[in-house]
């Protein structure tokens, strides 16, 4: 049913504009997920180690965008939304170890067409409730049919332990907010203690990881046939003997 304020053409035009607006953020997520997938494959093929456990993306709904715009007092326009709501598109990267978080952050910074707009390090400076994560606001190039858009999105990088704690905290607050109740002080204190335990676990896992890496280097005994082949997408390719001979200074 069409209201008195909008004609059918007005609604069609608005639907087209908001669809195109949301698409740019969806494409920004697709672009970042492709880049992360490339990094994962590179690490697995060259380093035999993958610092990225898994990723999760989300796109705010138009209603969620509007509510946040009203809370921030932004201008009710697409440009106003872009200026005020920076987390319409969000990507969460979960790692095994704290050191991996900064490795991934550095790799993203090294991609020249990505612009890092801001960084909030809640690992070195946890929130009062114990929350830890590295937050980056990144401007991603999205190539549309008629132009290039620079789309802002939020990237959160955290360990498995940090992610587990954040998920629990969200569920607790959601449950109490749903009933318009305050979270009991006892639960808040236990959450803070759990965050400290998660941080201690991350620290212990980091030490174990470093120790295992040293042991592996000391005990490295790679078979010659393994050195004479490469692995691409689970496919083994033997290195040409003539090339090996050339590299070793022998005649083919």
């Amino acid at each position: 049913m069409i209201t008195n304020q909008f004609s059918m053409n007005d609604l069609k035009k608005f639907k087209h504009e908001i669809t195109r607006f949301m698409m740019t953020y969806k494409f920004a997520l697709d672009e970042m997920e492709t880049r992360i997938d490339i990094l994962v494959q590179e690490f697995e093929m060259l380093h035999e180690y993958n610092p990225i456990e898994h990723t999760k993306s989300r796109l705010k709904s138009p209603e969620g965008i509007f509510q946040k715009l009203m809370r921030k007092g932004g201008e009710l326009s697409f440009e106003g939304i872009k200026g005020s709501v920076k987390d319409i598109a969000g990507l969460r990267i979960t790692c095994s170890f704290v050191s991996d978080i900064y490795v991934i952050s550095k790799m993203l910074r090294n991609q020249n067409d990505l612009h890092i707009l801001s960084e909030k390090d809640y690992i070195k400076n946890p929130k009062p409730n114990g929350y830890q994560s590295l937050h980056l606001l990144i401007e991603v190039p999205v190539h549309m049919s008629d132009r290039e858009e620079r789309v802002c999105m939020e990237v959160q990088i955290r360990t498995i332990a940090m992610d587990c704690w954040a998920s629990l905290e969200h569920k607790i607050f959601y449950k109490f907010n749903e009933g318009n109740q305050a979270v009991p002080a006892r639960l808040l204190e236990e959450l803070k203690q759990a965050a400290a335990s998660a941080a201690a676990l991350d620290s212990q896992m980091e030490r174990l990881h470093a120790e295992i890496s040293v042991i592996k280097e000391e005990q490295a005994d790679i078979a010659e046939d393994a050195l004479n082949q490469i692995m691409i997408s689970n496919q083994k390719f033997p290195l040409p003997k003539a090339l090996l001979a050339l590299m070793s200074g022998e005649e083919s």
Side-chain angles (χ1 to χ4, degrees), residues 130 132 165 191-201:
Q132 294 189 58
W165 183 91
L191 273 172
K192 194 168 183 179
Q193 291 174 9
S197 297
L201 176 61

Side-chain angles (χ1 to χ4, degrees), residues 45-204:
M45 292 177 191
L46 297 182
H47 307 291
E48 298 181 351
Y49 166 69
N50 176 20
I52 299 171
E53 290 288 337
H54 56 83
T55 63
K56 184 177 181 180
S57 61
R58 67 108 184 95
L59 197 63
K60 271 189 187 296
S61 67
E63 181 180 359
I65 295 169
F66 177 75
Q67 290 175 351
K68 187 158 189 177
L69 181 68
M70 292 300 97
R71 289 197 303 270
K72 294 178 74 70
E75 178 189 339
L76 188 55
S77 65
F78 290 121
E79 287 303 314
I81 292 171
K82 286 181 181 179
S84 299
V85 186
K86 301 295 187 180
D87 62 343
I88 294 173
L91 180 66
R92 185 181 305 150
I93 304 172
T94 306
C95 308
S96 300
F97 308 103
V98 174
S99 58
D100 293 336
I101 293 173
Y102 296 102
V103 168
I104 294 165
S105 173
K106 184 178 180 180
M107 288 191 294
L108 294 178
R109 290 177 182 278
N110 287 341
Q111 297 191 12
N112 294 332
D113 58 342
L114 295 181
H115 295 165
I116 309 297
L117 302 178
S118 70
E119 174 185 312
K120 291 183 179 178
D121 192 336
Y122 296 117
I123 301 170
K124 294 178 181 175
N125 302 290
K127 288 186 177 182
N129 65 351
Y131 174 86
Q132 294 189 58
S133 185
L134 182 69
H135 290 198
L136 301 173
L137 281 183
I138 300 180
E139 201 174 60
V140 183
V142 173
H143 297 278
M144 305 293 285
S145 60
D146 57 348
R147 65 186 184 276
E148 178 187 293
E149 291 272 2
R150 305 294 303 187
V151 181
C152 179
M153 63 178 291
E154 182 182 57
V155 176
Q156 299 177 357
I157 316 176
R158 57 179 66 157
T159 64
I160 297 170
M162 294 173 191
D163 191 52
C164 182
W165 183 91
S167 177
L168 174 63
E169 193 255 7
H170 175 76
K171 288 174 182 175
I172 290 174
F173 273 83
Y174 181 81
K175 183 176 179 62
F176 281 90
N177 288 341
E178 202 174 27
N180 293 318
Q181 297 174 292
V183 179
R186 174 182 60 81
L187 284 182
L188 293 175
E189 182 58 32
E190 287 199 39
L191 273 172
K192 194 168 183 179
Q193 291 174 9
S197 297
L201 176 61
D202 272 333
S203 180
Q204 184 178 15

Side-chain angles (χ1 to χ4, degrees), residues 17-51:
E17 289 176 348
I18 196 168
T19 299
R20 185 178 179 86
F21 180 77
M22 295 296 295
M23 280 170 56
T24 60
Y25 288 91
K26 193 266 183 189
F27 295 154
L29 283 174
D30 292 344
E31 172 71 22
M32 283 300 295
E33 287 181 322
T34 298
R35 290 175 188 240
I36 296 300
D37 184 55
I38 289 171
L39 292 177
V40 166
Q41 291 189 53
E42 179 188 353
F43 264 90
E44 289 178 342
M45 292 177 191
L46 297 182
H47 307 291
E48 298 181 351
Y49 166 69
N50 176 20

